[in-house]
Amino acid sequence: MTDPGDSTIHRHLLASYERVAGVRVEAQRLLDAGFPSAALVWAVRSAEMLMRDFVLTPHYLEQGLEWDKAMRKGSKVLGSSNWDRAFVKADEWYGPFDEPLTTDEENAWRAWTGSHVRRRGEIVHGFPVRDPQPEDAAAAIAFAERMATWYAQRFLTSSRHPIGQKFRDAINQAQRALGLDDDDGTGHASLDSTPGEDDVSRTVARKR
């Protein structure tokens, strides 16, 4: 298994997160140009890339697989829009996470697949349905962006993810340098537990 501090994994995480953000920017440009259908498809595409590249693939990089093989493994988990399996695997590998909720208190991942992913499929396959309106595309872009933030936050505080492990090591090192670890009797604990729900935002996006 690869060292969680391996710079290869962290370079991949940074590059994939930036690439996904770039696709969301392109989705917004399409929306601004008056193409809500294309914008919605691009928004869902950005989330697919997030799940495959940023969420799933690092697990296989940690196992020591070469980058191209790890990418194929991550892609296979998501498969042809198998979002439920991807969400479960992310939680299994790096969680457990709190339940993601919309502002309507619905499970966010069910809202995502039941609304935006479904609409994307209808558009791509040419189903005879109402064309997406600008507000539909805007909601999909906002949801995809919040999904990226949600996972980044959870990984940062996860004791099982390379990002979280590196972050905790840095914090604990700083605490020791300042004499703030448990050994000095000050009562300052090292960063070795995941914060509760009040510490990290649970809400992903509003259901549209």
Side-chain angles (χ1 to χ4, degrees), residues 11-202:
R11 285 198 303 270
H12 168 83
L13 287 164
L14 179 60
S16 61
Y17 199 80
E18 290 179 344
R19 182 165 173 255
V20 167
V23 175
R24 289 198 308 272
V25 169
E26 187 62 28
Q28 186 62 53
R29 288 174 178 162
L30 288 166
L31 177 58
D32 293 342
F35 301 103
S37 292
L40 191 149
V41 170
W42 234 239
V44 175
R45 179 176 183 263
S46 77
E48 289 174 339
M49 291 167 56
L50 176 88
M51 185 59 62
R52 181 193 65 210
D53 302 351
F54 183 75
V55 175
L56 299 172
T57 294
H59 171 74
Y60 298 106
L61 290 174
E62 279 193 284
Q63 293 183 340
L65 271 65
E66 296 179 356
W67 183 85
D68 57 340
K69 293 181 180 179
M71 287 286 285
R72 287 198 294 271
K73 285 277 193 178
S75 181
K76 187 175 181 179
V77 173
L78 181 59
S80 180
S81 202
N82 195 336
W83 289 89
D84 289 342
R85 179 170 62 183
F87 292 139
V88 167
K89 283 298 182 183
D91 191 84
E92 175 186 317
W93 293 338
Y94 302 122
F97 301 132
D98 53 295
E99 180 183 7
L101 299 174
T102 67
T103 53
D104 297 329
E105 296 297 310
E106 179 182 358
N107 180 279
W109 302 154
R110 282 198 297 269
W112 168 254
T113 56
S115 179
H116 305 302
V117 174
R118 176 182 58 81
R119 291 291 278 141
R120 180 260 185 196
E122 292 170 347
I123 296 167
V124 170
H125 297 292
F127 292 169
V129 296
R130 177 183 67 87
D131 288 336
Q133 299 303 301
E135 57 268 24
D136 299 324
I141 294 169
F143 206 123
E145 182 174 8
R146 190 65 189 93
M147 184 188 296
T149 303
W150 193 91
Y151 270 114
Q153 289 175 334
R154 268 65 187 176
F155 291 166
L156 185 64
T157 57
S158 170
S159 61
R160 302 165 64 187
H161 192 275
I163 293 176
Q165 293 166 3
K166 189 169 185 178
F167 175 69
R168 288 163 189 275
D169 288 345
I171 292 296
N172 289 335
Q173 183 177 359
Q175 287 179 329
R176 286 192 295 271
L178 295 171
L180 298 179
D181 58 349
D182 282 336
D183 292 338
D184 67 357
T186 63
H188 294 274
S190 60
L191 191 62
D192 58 1
S193 60
T194 301
E197 293 176 355
D198 291 340
D199 297 301
V200 182
S201 172
R202 299 174 66 216

